[in-house]
Amino acid sequence: MQHTTRFRILLVTIVIATTFIVFALGPLLTAPAPTAVSTLSADFPVESVEIPSQQGVTVHGWLARGKPGGGVLLLVHSMRSNRMEMLSRARFLKDQGYSVLFIDLQAHGETAGDHITFGLREAENVEASVAFLRKTFPAERMGAIGASLGAAAIVLAQQNLKLDAVILESLHPTLEEAVDNRLKLHFGDQGSILLPLMLWQLSFYLDVSLDALSPITRINNLNSPVLFISGTHDVHTTQPETERLYAAARFPKELWIVPGAQHFNMHSYAGREYEQRVSDFLSYYLRLHDDG
């Protein structure tokens, strides 16, 4: 009897502790990630820009001007990061003559926001940034590169961005799979038990259907040539998940699975091969006049 009582007490304690942890994870996952953004060195001149977005948010970013007729690119960072993540990409792209805008998404870096919304509100920042670039560079062809959350923000945009080329790195197909993969990463395979409660929390905090946060439901609406990039060792977004996204997208499309790469910063990992593949893709679609 005594052992049974102790077991019940232990079981109840574990349930209470687990419930507390899970309920704490919802606010933690959606909590903003403000950071000061470092000052850049003089060898890479940029203009600080502030772009009005929806919900009263002002998007902070840097604009580096390339050569006239060279094309324009928007670079969008991953979750709990800021525009500095995209700096190395901005450098090599500007060296090739592109004008580059890299921004802090809402609730990241120097852009204000109450919650991280897994692409919902972040998509509004992308829409505002694309509109800013069209006004600033009306004669240029335009593309975008997004990593993880940044990629989701591009795909989940409600407006037709009318981009001439899009590169999506480490993008999850559904929010359910993204959360499940992270639960397994932290708690092992048994972490999936917590998935329904986690999804309910996120839906509650963000006040939105989770389908609205799943890129695979909108990828076919992305009316742009698209290059998907993912890693064979990515446990946040697996290779089969990326292949499903690729299959759901419309043509023209390309897929590059990077051997050995994990979830973050494909440019840092793949280096020159990344630059070559990205350059080839972008020049084909943003500099069509070069072929003639």
Side-chain angles (χ1 to χ4, degrees), residues 74 78 197 201 221 225 254 283:
L74 172 66
S78 63
L197 184 55
Q201 276 198 85
N221 296 334
E254 298 180 23
S283 64

Side-chain angles (χ1 to χ4, degrees), residues 125-143:
N125 305 157
V126 168
E127 292 169 353
S129 298
V130 168
F132 167 83
L133 287 174
R134 290 205 188 283
K135 183 176 180 180
T136 307
F137 302 96
E140 298 281 3
R141 296 178 71 84
M142 187 181 305

Side-chain angles (χ1 to χ4, degrees), residues 71-73 134 139-144 161-167 223-226 252 281-282 284-288:
V72 181
L73 290 164
R134 290 205 188 283
E140 298 281 3
R141 296 178 71 84
M142 187 181 305
L161 299 177
K162 298 180 181 178
L163 296 171
D164 299 295
V166 172
I167 298 176
N223 191 18
S224 306
V226 58
F281 179 80
L282 292 176
Y284 184 82
Y285 290 107
L286 299 188
R287 296 173 175 173
L288 298 180

Side-chain angles (χ1 to χ4, degrees), residues 224-282:
S224 306
V226 58
L227 168 61
F228 293 90
I229 303 177
S230 186
T232 58
H233 287 48
D234 189 343
V235 294
H236 295 78
T237 299
T238 65
Q239 182 176 334
E241 289 168 3
T242 301
E243 290 169 347
R244 279 179 39 234
L245 266 173
Y246 172 77
R250 64 174 65 185
F251 287 97
K253 58 185 176 181
E254 298 180 23
L255 174 64
W256 178 33
I257 302 295
V258 185
Q262 299 184 28
H263 191 64
F264 296 107
N265 211 322
M266 291 296 177
H267 184 214
S268 295
Y269 181 83
R272 290 188 177 180
E273 185 177 5
Y274 176 95
E275 293 182 4
Q276 187 62 57
R277 286 179 179 262
V278 166
S279 297
D280 289 348
F281 179 80
L282 292 176

Side-chain angles (χ1 to χ4, degrees), residues 26-288:
L28 187 63
L29 286 173
T30 60
T35 53
V37 176
S38 303
T39 302
L40 291 184
S41 57
D43 69 328
F44 189 64
V46 295
E47 304 168 27
S48 293
V49 297
E50 297 183 5
I51 304 168
S53 184
Q54 297 184 43
Q55 312 292 321
V57 170
T58 298
V59 177
H60 291 253
W62 283 325
L63 175 65
R65 294 179 183 266
K67 299 176 182 178
V72 181
L73 290 164
L74 172 66
L75 309 183
V76 199
H77 64 78
S78 63
M79 185 175 292
R80 312 202 79 79
S81 184
N82 60 45
R83 75 190 95 144
M84 290 295 293
E85 177 188 348
M86 310 305 285
L87 176 58
S88 68
R89 295 171 179 82
R91 283 183 178 275
F92 101 79
L93 290 166
K94 185 178 183 298
D95 285 345
Q96 295 190 356
Y98 294 100
S99 295
V100 181
L101 172 64
F102 44 129
I103 62 172
D104 293 338
L105 291 169
Q106 66 96 35
H108 292 80
E110 295 180 338
T111 300
D114 295 330
H115 297 290
I116 296 171
T117 65
F118 303 93
L120 183 68
R121 296 284 174 256
E122 293 82 359
E124 297 169 357
N125 305 157
V126 168
E127 292 169 353
S129 298
V130 168
F132 167 83
L133 287 174
R134 290 205 188 283
K135 183 176 180 180
T136 307
F137 302 96
E140 298 281 3
R141 296 178 71 84
M142 187 181 305
I145 302 175
S148 193
L149 173 64
I154 293 169
V155 175
L156 295 177
Q158 294 296 311
Q159 298 177 12
N160 184 353
L161 299 177
K162 298 180 181 178
L163 296 171
D164 299 295
V166 172
I167 298 176
L168 303 173
E169 302 180 18
S170 307
L171 175 63
H172 55 275
T174 69
L175 185 63
E176 179 177 354
E177 287 166 299
V179 173
D180 191 32
N181 289 341
R182 285 155 179 79
L183 287 172
K184 290 176 180 176
L185 183 62
H186 293 290
F187 299 108
D189 289 341
Q190 62 271 24
S192 293
I193 297 172
L194 305 175
L195 181 61
L197 184 55
M198 283 297 304
L199 295 177
W200 174 83
Q201 276 198 85
L202 292 176
S203 181
F204 173 79
Y205 279 110
L206 301 178
D207 191 27
V208 66
S209 163
L210 295 183
D211 284 344
L213 301 176
S214 293
I216 200 166
T217 65
R218 293 193 55 82
I219 191 66
N220 193 51
N221 296 334
L222 186 65
N223 191 18
S224 306
V226 58
L227 168 61
F228 293 90
I229 303 177
S230 186
T232 58
H233 287 48
D234 189 343
V235 294
H236 295 78
T237 299
T238 65
Q239 182 176 334
E241 289 168 3
T242 301
E243 290 169 347
R244 279 179 39 234
L245 266 173
Y246 172 77
R250 64 174 65 185
F251 287 97
K253 58 185 176 181
E254 298 180 23
L255 174 64
W256 178 33
I257 302 295
V258 185
Q262 299 184 28
H263 191 64
F264 296 107
N265 211 322
M266 291 296 177
H267 184 214
S268 295
Y269 181 83
R272 290 188 177 180
E273 185 177 5
Y274 176 95
E275 293 182 4
Q276 187 62 57
R277 286 179 179 262
V278 166
S279 297
D280 289 348
F281 179 80
L282 292 176
S283 64
Y284 184 82
Y285 290 107
L286 299 188
R287 296 173 175 173
L288 298 180

